[in-house]
Amino acid sequence: SDNILSYIWHIQDSLRKDSRVNTANSYRSVLNSLADYAGTETYTLRDIDANFITGYDSFLNEKEIEPSTRAFYMRTLKTILNRAKEEGRCSSMSSWFSGINISVGKVGLKSEARALGREALQKIEEYDLSRHPGLRLARDLFMFSFYCKGMELADIALLRKGNVAEGWLTYRKRRHGTEQRVKLQPKALKIIEHYSGMGSDYLFPLLEEKGPAYLRAVSNKIGIALRDLGRMMECPIPLSFSVSRY
């Protein structure tokens, strides 16, 4: 089958029958992770491109998957796609994994190695992106996350105007349901004010009328824009929302 999930399932099944259980288990782990990422969407091998890879990497970031596990998933996926390419099932993938860590030797970094310094953070905060509204939105959400103690993108996207009152932000974490209360500093309030006239009950122009069902697509889009911003500004590490927590 040209369905990416079916393709991986058949490979791991074949490996298992050849008693290559460890490799089969590795492929099965990637299969389960990709199925979580795909959700109800169907992806064929021909659909796989750089945007898919970047979106998947952002998805793993948002789920706070450990760097070593993320590198393992990406490394295994690259091996699978190389096989598909040799079989003529997918197109060239020479630059798909550019900027994405798949090396065993670079994983397990301390928090300090995954954090931005004050100078780099200030540069992102102050950079003029008035001519790049898509990148500005990604930057503003990233900084808002930083100001709000590393708030996850999914939680930011779901915020409504009613979550803000008297200078405080109150919300429930999507993943755990725990209530969070954050004092909004002037810079966070300024970002909220910038997007306040968008004509939606949501705090930021992400889900609008499409609602939570559009959350994964939004996460992919913002994740890609944030990574592009990091490259444009020559950040020392790839930008993602997990960086705002470190």
Side-chain angles (χ1 to χ4, degrees):
S1 171
D2 281 336
N3 181 297
I4 180 66
L5 301 181
S6 298
Y7 181 70
I8 297 174
W9 190 92
H10 283 295
I11 294 175
Q12 68 86 32
D13 187 51
S14 177
L15 290 167
R16 207 172 295 280
K17 289 175 181 177
D18 289 341
S19 299
R20 297 173 61 185
V21 178
N22 288 340
T23 306
N25 287 341
S26 295
Y27 281 38
R28 188 59 178 264
S29 295
V30 174
L31 171 62
N32 291 338
S33 176
L34 281 172
D36 189 22
Y37 170 61
T40 59
E41 297 290 328
T42 300
Y43 293 99
T44 69
L45 288 165
R46 297 286 180 184
D47 292 329
I48 309 302
D49 57 14
N51 286 339
F52 178 92
I53 301 300
T54 305
Y56 178 48
D57 187 54
S58 297
F59 168 78
L60 296 176
N61 261 327
E62 287 303 309
K63 287 185 71 81
E64 299 184 6
I65 303 299
E66 283 296 312
S68 57
T69 305
R70 279 169 39 210
F72 160 73
Y73 285 153
M74 287 298 183
R75 189 168 59 254
T76 306
L77 178 58
K78 187 175 182 180
T79 299
I80 292 168
L81 293 177
N82 272 325
R83 173 172 174 163
K85 180 186 174 184
E86 290 173 1
E87 295 173 354
R89 292 173 178 262
C90 69
S91 56
S92 173
M93 49 175 283
S94 57
S95 62
W96 292 358
F97 291 84
S98 175
I100 294 176
N101 180 33
I102 62 172
S103 171
V104 177
K106 295 183 181 179
V107 300
L109 299 177
K110 294 181 180 179
S111 295
E112 290 84 355
R114 289 179 275 171
L116 286 172
R118 181 184 297 271
E119 185 178 339
L121 196 59
Q122 261 188 325
K123 182 179 178 182
I124 294 170
E125 179 184 58
E126 297 170 357
Y127 202 82
D128 182 10
L129 293 169
S130 56
R131 297 185 179 181
H132 307 278
L135 294 183
R136 173 170 181 172
L137 175 60
R139 186 272 307 279
D140 288 349
L141 295 173
F142 175 81
M143 294 308 303
F144 186 81
S145 170
F146 172 72
Y147 300 143
C148 295
K149 302 180 180 181
M151 189 175 181
E152 293 183 30
L153 176 59
D155 291 328
I156 294 175
L158 292 168
L159 290 177
R160 295 180 181 270
K161 293 176 180 176
N163 291 109
V164 178
E166 299 179 352
W168 287 85
L169 173 67
T170 306
Y171 70 100
R172 288 193 177 276
K173 291 181 72 68
R174 178 172 174 266
R175 293 178 62 193
H176 308 297
T178 55
E179 185 174 276
Q180 305 291 312
R181 197 161 186 261
V182 181
K183 178 66 175 177
L184 293 170
Q185 300 301 321
K187 290 181 179 181
L189 288 169
K190 186 176 180 180
I191 292 175
I192 291 174
E193 182 182 357
H194 177 77
Y195 295 99
S196 62
M198 298 297 180
S200 169
D201 187 45
Y202 286 105
L203 211 57
F204 297 104
L206 297 171
L207 302 179
E208 299 168 343
E209 300 301 321
K210 298 180 181 179
Y214 194 56
L215 192 57
R216 179 161 295 155
V218 163
S219 295
N220 290 348
K221 181 179 178 181
I222 297 299
I224 291 169
L226 195 59
R227 189 176 291 275
D228 289 344
L229 176 65
R231 291 195 187 108
M232 184 177 79
M233 300 187 65
E234 299 180 343
C235 286
I237 56 175
L239 282 188
S240 69
F241 278 84
S242 63
V243 172
S244 71
R245 288 189 284 281
Y246 291 111

